[in-house]
Amino acid sequence: MNAATLIKENINDVKDEDSNIYVELKNVNKNFGDFKASDNVSFKVKKGHLVGLLGPSGSGKTTILRILAGLETADSGDIFINGKRVNKISAQKRGIGFVFQNYALFRYQTVFDNVAFSLKIEKWDKKKIRERVHYLLNLVGLAGLEDRYPNQLSGGQRQRVAFARALANEPQLLLLDEPFAAIDAKVRQELRSWLRELIHNVGITSIFVTHDQDEAFEVADQIILTNHGKIEQSGSPYDIYINPQTAFTSKFIGHPTLIKNLNTLRGFGKTPDNIEAVVRPEFISVARTDEKFQYSASSDKGVVVDAYFRGAVIELHVKVGDNIFVVNRQLAEGRIDVGESVYIFISRVYLVNALKAQTYINEALKQKNEVYII
Amino acid sequence: MIIEENKIVKWSLISVSMVFLSVMLVLPLVFVVKTAFEKGLPTFWAAISDKYARAAIWLTVEVTVITVIVNTFFGIFAAWTITKYSFRGKKLLSALIDLPLTISPIIAGLIFLLTFGRQSFLYPILHDLNIKIIFAVPGIVLATVFVTFPFISREIIPVLASQGKDEEEAAALMGAKWFRIFRTVTFPHIKWAFLYGIVLCTARALGEFGAVSVLSGHLRGKTNTMPLHIELLYQGYDFTGAFAMSAILVVMAIIILILRNILEYRGKRKLSEKGAK
Ligand SMILES: Nc1ncnc2c1ncn2[C@@H]1O[C@H](COP(=O)(O)OP(=O)(O)OP(=O)(O)O)[C@@H](O)[C@H]1O
Ligand SMILES: [Mg+2]
């Protein structure tokens, strides 16, 4: 292969990559007064992906969505949809489906009229509108409720109407602002998987806002993590979960606990003094002192100071030196009670400084001469 | 119950209110109607079908209709602007809307007199353009519009404000333009408040005396509205005529009162339906 073809192929690669991107924000800033609601926000979303915009309350998730939809104008930066810069294009013309946090159904219109709204604007003929609305209401499981008004529906049903309405004129991009926030846990779970399936069936690029991690991890193809108006990290759920890159990410995702004096623990002796580190329960295994334990040579001994029965697992709080670790033990592995001595083995921690987070694997798991810092 | 039910207190309060309302409101109204018909139906009829009376009635209706139309548009614009946009000077605008409520109508009349009268620098321009405002119908309309301006916008603003702008934004995202959004999404929300505002505006426009009195010039058959005509008759000791005209205004007022109550009732019912949310 000569140099010329190599370069050509590389160009093709780049092109391929770019044509797959449906939404891109580049250095977008938005201030409300002197408050930075969006601080140099940049990210890309692949066509057909379902993206979760995750972050604590007030971190600027809704702002990003509204800028993307054209309901808010960015102070600076570029917004691209399908390769076209849309900064100057009004909300009316962006062709985006939007599901509001409180659904914003038209209160004085029936379910039918709500769903038909965009079709009437596009001047579809009456028969086609009826067919489309019925198709959509079937899709979201609300057939037969055409003549109801929004206040005659349950929260979950309203959510579905909002969804049908947003999908009606086949937008290429769907934005959802905490679509399940107002729905009880059980129905929420149901709607989540329903939404994921539906969006993938329809094949529409979607971004949904949530501050519920479980929801983001369960539903999304890609997660964008926001904090204080900034994007902390963007990537696949797996990547975000297992490889947090920033201090915020490592402390926000999962149920982390802070570790003091990490280098007093077995397997982490080579880490510097006074470094900040966090660990999550799923990276700690626990065994009674009389049990056979795979890593007993490199585990630490501690005492159970608290135990909470959580159904499938027992949550144990184990005191080792100055630290109290939270560990989950499967119910089937047998119970351990408060006061018992146990061994714990920590497989992975995250080292944190002001800016970055770094994964550190227990030495016992490393093979000689290999660098495991990822 | 916060106030303990005491039969004596309750009934004495009710009686006092009843007596007060009878003396203050019902009795005068009955008296007006009685005086109007005292000399028989033909005299009453003659009084209100007289050339000047007819002109006054017609002028009042005309001014009221124009006023309500003008204030409908400006009322809706003002309410929309104040509730849906944020901008510098919004508080000031909001306060200005209330100005006519706090200013004496006579002063309102004088303001226009100074703005468009002979002393004003505008006067030569208006004169050249052959536009007569002072002591003419346009002046009367201006005065009435000014005095009744707050009624419609003040009714709509709270409803619009409580509604937020989500529904409008949702409609806009689906491609709807301003007018469609207003017609299909916003208007149904404000319909009852809006009609109620129109009723109040109409009532006030029909009866406006002070500001109109300053600007009208009291030209019989030309710039005399009903209230001005009544005053004129009264000062000319034509009590039957004065009370006959008054009786018409009273009947209009009662019709408006009934309309008002119907609207209020329907509006409340809508509100409680919405409350189901
Ligand atoms: N119109 C506005 N005027 C002033 N400040 C605003 C405005 N809209 C949002 N903000 C501020 O910007 C910040 C980000 O708001 P945003 O609504 O984007 O947060 P969010 O991440 O969606 O939060 P939540 O999860 O609570 O909905 C907040 O601190 C908020 O107070
Ligand atoms: Mg939000």
Side-chain angles (χ1 to χ4, degrees):
Chain A
M1 199 187 286
N2 63 32
T5 52
L6 200 73
I7 290 168
K8 211 169 154 200
E9 280 198 353
N10 276 341
I11 288 173
N12 276 342
D13 272 3
V14 171
K15 259 196 178 159
D16 248 25
E17 167 87 342
D18 271 4
S19 69
N20 239 338
I21 299 298
Y22 195 72
V23 175
E24 180 171 8
L25 259 62
K26 259 190 193 158
N27 309 320
V28 167
N29 287 287
K30 174 76 189 176
N31 283 36
F32 292 113
D34 41 5
F35 181 83
K36 269 187 162 35
S38 291
D39 188 356
N40 217 20
V41 167
S42 303
F43 63 80
K44 293 179 183 178
V45 172
K46 277 202 182 132
K47 196 174 173 69
H49 268 198
L50 174 52
V51 176
L53 205 51
L54 175 66
S57 186
S59 62
K61 306 180 295 288
T62 300
T63 306
I64 291 175
L65 231 53
R66 291 175 61 84
I67 289 175
L68 204 45
L71 295 175
E72 216 81 72
T73 33
D75 299 337
S76 66
D78 303 304
I79 303 141
F80 296 96
I81 295 175
N82 203 11
K84 218 169 83 189
R85 189 172 183 273
V86 296
N87 289 49
K88 295 264 155 58
I89 296 178
S90 73
Q92 270 98 341
K93 298 212 177 94
R94 288 195 194 179
I96 289 175
F98 201 107
V99 177
F100 285 77
Q101 183 166 349
N102 56 358
Y103 317 136
L105 296 179
F106 305 133
R107 193 179 283 174
Y108 290 99
Q109 295 183 19
T110 59
V111 168
F112 183 96
D113 288 334
N114 263 283
V115 178
F117 192 85
S118 60
L119 307 178
K120 286 179 191 160
I121 288 168
E122 290 179 1
K123 301 207 162 57
W124 287 35
D125 76 52
K126 282 225 163 79
K127 194 164 152 268
K128 280 244 179 76
I129 291 183
R130 220 172 306 129
E131 280 170 14
R132 177 80 183 149
V133 172
H134 285 152
Y135 166 76
L136 285 162
L137 289 180
N138 260 324
L139 192 70
V140 300
L142 288 180
L145 299 185
E146 288 84 353
D147 296 329
R148 296 261 189 102
Y149 283 88
N151 62 15
Q152 299 169 319
L153 299 174
S154 75
Q157 290 170 330
R158 275 180 218 162
Q159 206 282 332
R160 289 164 200 242
V161 176
F163 200 69
R165 184 177 72 172
L167 287 176
N169 60 349
E170 298 181 319
Q172 292 302 297
L173 177 60
L174 183 66
L175 306 178
L176 308 104
D177 195 352
E178 306 206 22
F180 310 121
I183 294 170
D184 71 71
K186 187 104 203 274
V187 183
R188 186 141 109 203
Q189 183 69 32
E190 231 170 73
L191 279 174
R192 253 188 224 166
S193 9
W194 172 84
L195 175 76
R196 186 193 162 95
E197 216 166 283
L198 189 60
I199 284 181
H200 282 142
N201 285 345
V202 180
I204 175 176
T205 312
S206 311
I207 302 177
F208 76 101
V209 162
T210 178
H211 52 231
D212 179 347
Q213 294 187 32
D214 297 343
E215 192 166 291
F217 283 111
E218 182 180 326
V219 180
D221 299 314
Q222 178 192 347
I223 289 177
I224 297 170
L225 200 59
T226 59
N227 183 36
H228 291 309
K230 291 197 188 71
I231 303 290
E232 286 281 341
Q233 195 172 339
S234 161
S236 71
Y238 181 81
D239 213 37
I240 296 261
Y241 198 85
I242 208 85
N243 289 323
Q245 301 287 313
T246 68
F248 172 80
T249 312
S250 62
K251 289 175 186 170
F252 182 76
I253 299 294
H255 303 277
T257 45
L258 222 59
I259 306 176
K260 287 169 242 167
N261 306 325
L262 177 66
N263 54 12
T264 62
L265 296 171
R266 285 213 185 158
F268 298 95
K270 290 182 189 162
T271 55
D273 280 339
N274 295 326
I275 189 156
E276 205 181 347
V278 296
V279 64
R280 298 198 208 119
E282 61 271 23
F283 297 131
I284 307 177
S285 24
V286 63
R288 264 200 307 260
T289 42
D290 56 357
E291 275 173 336
K292 195 167 168 280
F293 196 36
Q294 192 184 350
Y295 307 107
S296 49
S298 45
S299 54
D300 295 287
K301 197 170 176 186
V303 180
V304 176
V305 289
D306 265 319
Y308 301 94
F309 180 62
R310 295 243 186 274
V313 296
I314 304 170
E315 181 181 313
L316 301 172
H317 292 197
V318 180
K319 189 166 160 50
V320 180
D322 288 340
N323 290 300
I324 293 186
F325 294 101
V326 179
V327 194
N328 290 327
R329 181 170 164 103
Q330 294 296 319
L331 196 58
E333 291 173 323
R335 68 187 277 182
I336 297 181
D337 286 317
V338 175
E340 280 188 70
S341 285
V342 292
Y343 283 121
I344 62 164
F345 173 76
I346 300 172
S347 57
R348 147 193 316 248
V349 300
Y350 300 110
L351 310 180
V352 183
N353 67 24
L355 297 170
K356 284 173 63 179
Q358 214 175 26
T359 307
Y360 196 91
I361 309 262
N362 192 312
E363 313 275 350
L365 297 175
K366 294 179 184 176
Q367 277 156 29
K368 273 177 209 137
N369 305 327
E370 264 191 71
V371 183
Y372 266 83
I373 296 173
I374 301 171
Chain B
M1 193 151 215
I2 300 167
I3 302 172
E4 235 176 79
E5 187 113 2
N6 181 327
K7 283 239 163 86
I8 301 169
V9 172
K10 178 178 161 191
W11 284 108
S12 40
L13 278 179
I14 291 177
S15 336
V16 168
S17 313
M18 283 313 230
V19 169
F20 181 80
L21 286 178
S22 308
V23 173
M24 291 294 291
L25 297 174
V26 181
L27 220 59
L29 289 184
V30 172
F31 187 67
V32 166
V33 177
K34 182 178 155 283
T35 317
F37 290 100
E38 213 164 38
K39 297 197 176 141
L41 205 58
T43 324
F44 171 82
W45 187 247
I48 64 164
S49 57
D50 145 272
K51 187 174 121 202
Y52 294 130
R54 281 207 322 257
I57 293 173
W58 181 238
L59 181 61
T60 298
V61 170
E62 193 184 312
V63 168
T64 303
V65 168
I66 298 175
T67 299
V68 168
I69 291 173
V70 170
N71 278 344
T72 294
F73 278 100
F74 284 105
I76 287 178
F77 286 150
W80 180 286
T81 313
I82 282 181
T83 51
K84 304 283 166 179
Y85 300 107
S86 49
F87 54 93
R88 235 175 254 264
K90 181 164 152 171
K91 289 234 169 71
L92 184 71
L93 183 65
S94 179
L96 277 178
I97 290 179
D98 284 337
L99 192 66
L101 290 177
T102 52
I103 255 184
S104 156
I106 295 271
I107 297 175
L110 285 174
I111 292 170
F112 283 111
L113 200 63
L114 290 175
T115 317
F116 298 113
R118 277 180 190 282
Q119 315 84 324
S120 162
F121 70 96
L122 286 172
Y123 186 78
I125 304 169
L126 292 169
H127 190 77
D128 286 348
L129 293 171
N130 218 357
I131 299 172
K132 259 186 85 70
I133 291 179
I134 302 306
F135 307 141
V137 177
I140 297 174
V141 172
L142 266 182
T144 315
V145 166
F146 178 86
V147 170
T148 58
F149 180 73
F151 289 100
I152 292 179
S153 51
R154 274 291 151 219
E155 285 302 317
I156 306 175
I157 286 171
V159 185
L160 278 183
S162 71
Q163 182 213 346
K165 38 184 187 182
D166 287 6
E167 286 184 39
E168 278 90 357
E169 285 179 346
L173 282 166
M174 287 186 270
K177 298 271 165 38
W178 186 93
F179 186 66
R180 190 187 200 104
I181 295 175
F182 178 76
R183 185 170 56 84
T184 58
V185 177
T186 312
F187 188 71
H189 281 275
I190 59 171
K191 192 162 79 187
W192 297 110
F194 172 65
L195 290 176
Y196 188 61
I198 285 185
V199 165
L200 290 180
C201 180
T202 308
R204 190 74 169 78
L206 282 175
E208 176 50 28
F209 178 82
V212 169
S213 168
V214 176
L215 287 171
S216 121
H218 301 271
L219 303 172
R220 269 191 159 215
K222 285 216 175 106
T223 60
N224 252 6
T225 59
M226 284 172 79
L228 298 182
H229 189 62
I230 292 168
E231 195 208 16
L232 211 67
L233 292 172
Y234 185 78
Q235 282 173 349
Y237 301 107
D238 180 357
F239 295 127
T240 316
F243 283 108
M245 290 294 270
S246 304
I248 297 178
L249 275 182
V250 167
V251 170
M252 287 179 173
I254 289 171
I255 292 174
I256 286 170
L257 202 67
I258 292 169
L259 270 180
R260 195 201 89 123
N261 278 321
I262 293 174
L263 290 178
E264 203 174 50
Y265 171 74
R266 300 210 58 163
K268 275 213 186 103
R269 214 176 53 187
K270 280 280 163 208
L271 212 68
S272 61
E273 271 170 27
K274 277 195 288 180
K277 193 201 160 188

